[in-house]
């Protein structure tokens, strides 16, 4: 029997479960293995009192969900966002399991989150929150147990504070506990660019399959954080034209092309895209349905829905974000038949792949060049693309379901072979 009254119940968790079921049906997965493969393994909820600069103590709620620890230490980022929910973190943890498994990493899947609007915090407040969160989850994670990383709202500096807090907890420098660190603290060259580099790599590869050249490619990117901006830089360096970008304040559209470096300099100076004069301003919703060759959602979940899927005017969707497309939108896109979609677990896997490289470098204390990192990254991406396309042809299913079939099958097999304990 499927679990009912789950604490994870929410539209986004249901979305991830429905995706899982479609793949498990193809695999003919038997009920006992199906439920234990689908449900998160364990969850820690923490209460985080933080002293604000004005002396008040505000209390935040945080989570760490380990979805799968059967195929290796759990792996996945930590999100700081005011809309974080436990159900969302659980869905994101589930996607990490399939992503790591699909690309062949020796990891399970996890995700963490804190319900907070970190934009409104001072640096000191953010540091105290980051350290408090790590202190509370320190006994639940570790280099051989669960290895966090950045996600929406967290960055290299947050990883540095967390690594320092954990190292103090265990009594020695222990960089392998977290990835996405600054280079000076055991970070990997190329990790900052990795997710965007991977999104751009898949975009180029699928456009090439479609016979579309860089000079004919226009790109709209929704979300201009680490993933969106690195993808934009990589695709514009390739020769594609970036015609639309957005952040939480809204979007900018310019048919003639947006200068990505100029937009990034504006954000560095003004903290957001608001007021940027590089094109016409429009809302995030309007941006998604403008004509372009490639649409890249690179922010949060559930932005391509049954409301706008019929109106999309792109040839290719590259999911830089996790879970940007609802189940209903997937159906509409499949029925339309004129849009190729690179699913999140494949498309944004570059980030966790280079996190794996960072962890390996930390284990051996021997560091690689950026060329070496990218060469190994591209090789893994090419292998994953080939196996997804082969599986898609074999089962005549969507590319998302094909990617999930591959990711889920390995986890289910590991669970079945390990058996139940006791
Ligand atoms: N947060 C990223 C993701 O969703 C990276 C996770 C990691 O590097 O562990 O894939």
């Amino acid at each position: 029997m499927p679990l009912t009254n789950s604490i994870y119940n929410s539209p986004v968790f249901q979305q991830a479960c429905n995706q899982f079921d479609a793949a498990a049906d193809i695999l003919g997965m038997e009920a006992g293995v199906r439920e234990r493969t689908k449900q998160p393994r364990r969850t820690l909820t923490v209460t985080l009192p933080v002293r604000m600069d004005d002396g008040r103590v505000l209390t935040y709620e945080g989570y760490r969900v380990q979805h799968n620890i059967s195929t290796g230490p759990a792996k996945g980022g930590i999100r700081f966002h005011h809309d974080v929910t436990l159900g969302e973190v659980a869905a994101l943890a589930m996607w990490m399991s399939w992503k790591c498994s699909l690309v062949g990493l020796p990891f399970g899947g996890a995700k963490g989150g804190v319900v907070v609007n970190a934009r409104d915090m001072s640096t000191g407040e953010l540091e105290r929150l980051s350290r408090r969160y790590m202190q509370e989850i320190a006994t639940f994670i570790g280099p051989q147990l669960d290895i966090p990383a950045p996600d929406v709202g967290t960055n290299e500096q947050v990883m540095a504070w967390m690594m320092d807090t954990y190292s103090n907890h265990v009594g020695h420098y222990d960089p392998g506990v977290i990835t996405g660190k600054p280079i000076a603290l055991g970070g990997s060259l190329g990790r900052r660019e990795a997710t965007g580099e991977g999104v751009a790599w898949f975009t180029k590869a699928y456009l090439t399959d479609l016979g579309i050249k860089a000079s004919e490619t226009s790109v709209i990117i929704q979300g201009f954080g680490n993933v969106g901006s690195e993808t934009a830089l990589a695709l514009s360096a390739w020769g594609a034209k970036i015609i639309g970008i957005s952040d939480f304040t809204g979007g900018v559209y310019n048919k003639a092309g947006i200068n990505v470096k100029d937009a990034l300099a504006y954000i560095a100076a003004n903290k957001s895209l608001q007021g940027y004069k590089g094109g016409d301003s429009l809302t995030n919703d309007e941006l998604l349905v403008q004509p372009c060759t490639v649409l890249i959602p690179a922010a949060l979940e559930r932005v391509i829905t049954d409301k706008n899927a019929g109106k999309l005017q792109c040839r290719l969707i590259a999911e830089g974000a996790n879970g940007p497309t609802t189940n209903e939108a997937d159906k509409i896109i499949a029925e339309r038949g004129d849009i190729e979609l690179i699913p999140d677990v494949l498309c944004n896997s570059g980030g966790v792949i280079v996190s794996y490289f960072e962890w390996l470098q930390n284990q051996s204390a021997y560091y690689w060049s950026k060329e070496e990192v990218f060469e190994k990254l591209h090789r893994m991406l090419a292998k994953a693309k080939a196996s997804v396309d082969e599986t898609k042809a074999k089962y005549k299913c969507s590319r998302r379901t094909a990617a999930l079939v591959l990711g889920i099958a390995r986890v289910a097999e590991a669970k079945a072979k390990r058996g139940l304990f006791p």
Side-chain angles (χ1 to χ4, degrees), residues 292-326:
C292 59
T293 320
V294 189
L295 177 64
I296 307 184
L300 299 171
E301 309 86 62
R302 300 173 71 75
V303 292
I304 301 178
T305 66
D306 52 350
K307 303 270 182 310
N308 59 16
K311 298 186 204 148
L312 299 178
Q313 300 189 65
C314 58
R315 184 70 189 89
L316 180 68
I317 296 174
E319 293 187 333
N322 293 307
T325 310
T326 64

Side-chain angles (χ1 to χ4, degrees), residues 324-343:
T325 310
T326 64
N327 303 137
E328 295 76 18
D330 267 341
K331 245 179 245 149
I332 295 169
I333 290 165
E335 278 157 17
R336 284 180 53 152
D338 59 343
I339 298 176
E340 295 297 318
L341 185 146
I342 317 171

